[in-house]
Amino acid sequence: MSDTQQNSQESLSAPQVSTQAAASEPRAQAPVQSSVSSQWLPIAAAVLSVAGLGLAWQSMSRQQSLEQELVRRQELIQTNAGEAKAAAKASQELTRDTAAKVALLDARLAEVALQRGQLEELIQSMSRSRDENVIGDIEASIRVALQQSAITGSAEPLVVTLKLADERLLRYKQPRMEGVRRAVARDLDRVKSVSVVDVSTLTIKLDEVVRLLDELPLTVNAEKSAEPKPVAEEPRFKPGNGKPLKAGAPGEEKPPTAADGEFAQWWWAAKKGVRETAAAAWTETRSLIRVTRIDHPEAALLAPEQAFFLRENIKLRLLNARLALLSRQFETAQADLRDSQEMLNRYFDGRARKVQVAGDLLRQVAGQARQVVVPRPDDTLAALSAAAAGR
């Protein structure tokens, strides 16, 4: 627009310059041609007027064309401005849509970044080395075995765990895990050397004693059931030497005959009657009197109806000892076993085979029921810690 205005101003100023130049020329030639110009002056003036009018018309036409061009360009500018305004509005809407999309993309990018972080953490947790997994698994299994041994009082869970750890390290064949394997072997030997209580075997023995109790003979019953031995016929003695003589043997005293006299016959009959009376009295006396030795007099005075309660009391004590063994309360079990052994020795016949078997079983249980401390695998745990620290 500025270029067009400058061109129109130059076109308007050009006739004026030419007119001034044409006017200046007659002035310069006026002293020389004064006579000639006087007659041509009106013509020149008319020509100049016509030229001026032409120039004015030309200037006006050019100005009109310039105005038209200016109007056209102004309309074009307005049209372009409207289009620019519409484009600016569309651009603003597009900018808002773009900003919304960018915000959505930022949110999704943040979510993707969070998921990526979580995925990286998961990958890192899953990409642990094989050594770390082996060390962690062995240490966890040993600690669980220690808890089981503390609860059950048996070294079997720890022994099994150490054996499995040794087999796993043997299959693994990693040079830097050889120290852990040697520590496992040392702890395994130390745990195996400890003799632990076999509770299942002890409970079986107690159950056997409980079963035998109903069949054990009491001391009072054994004495009553002992039948007296039959009394042998009194041997006849040879007068003078005190040795017994068999019936009909040579030297036996023969009954007197009629030739010996009545007194001899009477004397022989009297001696025979006294001898038979003495033998019968001795036999009756031996059937009524028995001489025995009882260490505990109360055992012989036990009433028959009290024998049932005695056996049940011993059974209860043995069952209490069994429960104490299962719960690892060895002092309580020892006390019940001592009381049961004492009652067995006091009230039951120690000469009976079953009583002896029951006493042997009780002594075996009492000798094996003792508290045993299972050693800790400290060497293995220390070797695992060292291997974990050196990764």
Side-chain angles (χ1 to χ4, degrees), residues 216-230:
L216 299 182
L218 294 171
T219 302
V220 59
N221 293 335
E223 295 298 334
K224 289 181 179 180
S225 61
E227 296 181 356
K229 296 181 180 180

Side-chain angles (χ1 to χ4, degrees), residues 19-291:
T19 305
Q20 290 178 0
S24 61
E25 289 180 359
R27 291 176 184 174
Q29 296 177 1
V32 182
Q33 298 177 354
S34 59
S35 59
V36 178
S37 61
S38 60
Q39 57 181 350
W40 292 96
L41 185 60
I43 298 172
V47 172
L48 291 174
S49 298
V50 172
L53 290 173
L55 292 173
W57 181 81
Q58 185 179 5
S59 176
M60 288 178 65
S61 61
R62 288 177 62 85
Q63 185 177 2
Q64 187 177 3
S65 62
L66 288 174
E67 289 178 355
Q68 290 177 356
E69 182 68 21
L70 182 62
V71 171
R72 187 181 63 81
R73 291 191 177 184
Q74 187 175 3
E75 291 177 354
L76 182 60
I77 290 172
Q78 290 179 354
T79 303
N80 293 335
E83 293 177 355
K85 185 176 181 180
K89 185 176 181 181
S91 178
Q92 289 179 356
E93 293 178 355
L94 181 61
T95 302
R96 286 194 295 270
D97 294 341
T98 304
K101 291 181 179 180
V102 169
L104 181 60
L105 290 176
D106 290 339
R108 291 184 177 180
L109 182 61
E111 184 178 358
V112 170
L114 179 61
Q115 293 178 355
R116 181 181 178 182
Q118 294 177 352
L119 183 61
E120 288 179 354
E121 292 179 359
L122 181 61
I123 291 174
Q124 290 178 0
S125 63
M126 295 179 61
S127 62
R128 292 184 304 174
S129 64
R130 190 179 178 185
D131 294 346
E132 295 175 359
N133 292 331
V134 171
I135 291 173
D137 293 343
I138 293 177
E139 185 176 1
S141 61
I142 288 177
R143 295 192 181 279
V144 172
L146 282 175
Q147 294 178 358
Q148 292 178 353
S149 298
I151 294 173
T152 60
S154 174
E156 190 63 25
L158 190 57
V159 170
V160 173
T161 302
L162 291 176
K163 286 183 179 179
L164 293 177
D166 187 32
E167 294 176 359
R168 185 172 183 180
L169 292 175
L170 180 61
R171 293 193 305 268
Y172 188 47
K173 294 182 181 180
Q174 183 62 253
R176 77 186 193 96
M177 300 295 289
E178 288 298 324
V180 179
R181 189 182 174 194
R182 289 193 296 269
V184 169
R186 290 195 300 270
D187 289 334
L188 185 59
D189 294 337
R190 189 167 64 253
V191 173
K192 283 184 177 179
S193 63
V194 177
S195 59
V196 296
V197 179
D198 190 359
V199 178
S200 60
T201 303
L202 298 183
T203 54
I204 292 174
K205 291 180 180 180
L206 289 179
D207 294 339
E208 181 66 18
V209 175
V210 172
R211 188 188 65 82
L212 288 175
L213 273 176
D214 294 331
E215 303 176 3
L216 299 182
L218 294 171
T219 302
V220 59
N221 293 335
E223 295 298 334
K224 289 181 179 180
S225 61
E227 296 181 356
K229 296 181 180 180
V231 179
E233 185 180 355
E234 285 296 326
R236 286 172 292 181
F237 294 91
K238 181 179 180 180
N241 56 9
K243 294 182 179 180
L245 296 176
K246 294 182 179 181
E252 183 182 359
E253 186 178 0
K254 295 180 180 181
T257 60
D260 295 332
E262 295 180 357
F263 180 77
Q265 293 179 355
W266 174 84
W267 181 250
W268 183 83
K271 288 193 299 182
K272 183 179 179 181
V274 171
R275 189 182 298 114
E276 291 177 354
T277 303
W282 176 246
T283 301
E284 187 66 22
T285 302
R286 290 190 61 181
S287 65
L288 296 175
I289 300 174
R290 291 195 310 273
V291 178

Side-chain angles (χ1 to χ4, degrees), residues 301-371:
L301 300 177
L302 185 66
E305 62 271 9
Q306 294 178 349
F308 171 78
F309 298 102
L310 174 64
R311 298 178 192 273
E312 296 299 322
N313 191 11
I314 298 176
K315 288 181 181 180
L316 290 176
R317 289 188 178 275
L318 292 177
L319 292 177
N320 289 335
R322 187 177 188 275
L323 292 176
L325 287 176
L326 294 175
S327 60
R328 303 294 170 179
Q329 298 177 0
F330 295 102
E331 295 181 358
T332 305
Q334 290 287 352
D336 291 330
L337 289 174
R338 284 194 301 268
D339 294 341
S340 301
Q341 185 71 36
E342 183 180 355
M343 296 173 69
L344 190 68
N345 295 332
R346 176 177 299 179
Y347 295 102
F348 291 89
D349 186 12
R351 296 169 297 180
R353 177 60 182 170
K354 293 183 178 180
V355 176
Q356 295 175 1
V357 171
D360 292 339
L361 291 176
L362 289 179
R363 283 190 292 270
Q364 292 176 9
V365 174
Q368 297 177 9
R370 62 184 185 278
Q371 185 70 35

